[in-house]
Amino acid sequence: SQKIEQNSEALNIQEGKTATLTCNYTNYSPAYLQWYRQDPGRGPVFLLLIRENEKEKRKERLKVTFDTTLKQSLFHITASQPADSATYLCALDYGSSNTGKLIFGQGTTLQVKP
Amino acid sequence: GAGVSQTPSNKVTEKGKYVELRCDPISGHTALYWYRQSLGQGPEFLIYFQGTGAADDSGLPNDRFFAVRPEGSVSTLKIQRTERGDSAVYLCASSYSGTQTGELFFGEGSRLTVL
């Protein structure tokens, strides 16, 4: 079965720096990969989707890369702000199914200090 | 409403009791998902509806869990004979079509505590 690993330790960075979060998977390469943001006590909010044939995707200060050889996605937040502090979840499709259902990583908590 | 609505936001019950959690998806979204999230973990898939039918219920942990979506809109997750291990946040999400391209729109969740 597919396994996803995100760094379980919190990432603490200074405001203005670039935050880089890692998502590694162990089995088949997904057709796409998504990143979500989750604030305490709230539901996840979709941020970005990247497909298996895309190397990089950008949206404002966010950048996602997808390396199917390394079985890894990197999520970057440039010019980070305290408001970026949250838990970030990586999610993959279930492979052969075409239902859109996702398997999530455990998330990495980002803390941006002013 | 504009987003996915879940009720109740919090539910405290005693072991052995029956619980119902309700989800009202975004209007027009045909796909509806239930996930469960334990503290410090990512959401775990439970069941997926496409329209009125349960297209995939492979994530339901056992037969105490059941979900319905009789009119293709609102869904109810039902848990019988609750156990302490059922305590978690139950998240509902919907999407336009349930295809590979769909992002999920989540509700705020129903926090279930079984004493």
Side-chain angles (χ1 to χ4, degrees), chain A residues 54-65:
Chain A
E54 298 176 316
K55 297 295 184 187
E56 183 179 297
K57 193 74 115 15
R58 292 176 183 263
K59 179 182 176 183
E60 298 174 351
R61 294 184 297 112
L62 308 180
K63 184 178 84 170
V64 173
T65 63

Side-chain angles (χ1 to χ4, degrees), chain B residues 78-94:
Chain B
K78 308 180 180 191
I79 310 174
Q80 298 178 320
R81 305 183 303 280
T82 52
E83 299 177 357
R84 292 192 179 87
D86 298 335
S87 297
V89 176
Y90 289 82
L91 293 165
C92 177
S94 66

Side-chain angles (χ1 to χ4, degrees), chain A residues 39-109:
Chain A
D39 291 283
R42 310 295 296 273
V45 175
F46 172 81
L47 296 175
L48 280 169
L49 179 152
I50 186 165
R51 301 180 192 279
E52 60 179 337
N53 60 350
E54 298 176 316
K55 297 295 184 187
E56 183 179 297
K57 193 74 115 15
R58 292 176 183 263
K59 179 182 176 183
E60 298 174 351
R61 294 184 297 112
L62 308 180
K63 184 178 84 170
V64 173
T65 63
F66 194 2
D67 189 326
T68 55
T69 301
L70 293 178
K71 296 189 176 182
Q72 181 181 81
S73 175
L74 298 179
F75 177 81
H76 307 272
I77 305 176
T78 58
S80 59
Q81 305 166 358
D84 295 327
S85 299
T87 295
Y88 291 86
L89 298 161
C90 166
L92 312 179
D93 68 284
Y94 264 74
S96 59
S97 71
N98 191 28
T99 61
K101 74 179 189 183
L102 302 173
I103 177 170
F104 283 84
Q106 78 270 36
T108 298
T109 298

Side-chain angles (χ1 to χ4, degrees), chain A residues 32 38 42-43 99 101-102, chain B residues 33 35 37 56 98 100 108:
Chain A
Y32 61 89
Q38 187 172 28
R42 310 295 296 273
T99 61
K101 74 179 189 183
L102 302 173
Chain B
Y33 307 80
Y35 282 80
Q37 188 173 27
D56 187 336
Q100 286 190 358
E108 303 290 37

Side-chain angles (χ1 to χ4, degrees), chain B residues 13-20 36 61-66 78-87 90 112 114-115:
Chain B
T13 190
E14 294 179 344
K15 180 174 178 295
K17 299 290 187 181
Y18 170 79
V19 165
E20 286 190 354
R36 177 168 71 173
N62 51 60
D63 60 7
R64 295 188 297 106
F65 290 75
F66 189 71
K78 308 180 180 191
I79 310 174
Q80 298 178 320
R81 305 183 303 280
T82 52
E83 299 177 357
R84 292 192 179 87
D86 298 335
S87 297
Y90 289 82
L112 174 65
V114 182
L115 301 176

Side-chain angles (χ1 to χ4, degrees), chain B residues 30 49-55 67-73:
Chain B
T30 58
F49 287 90
Q50 183 62 260
T52 60
V68 296
R69 193 186 186 198
E71 298 179 356
S73 179

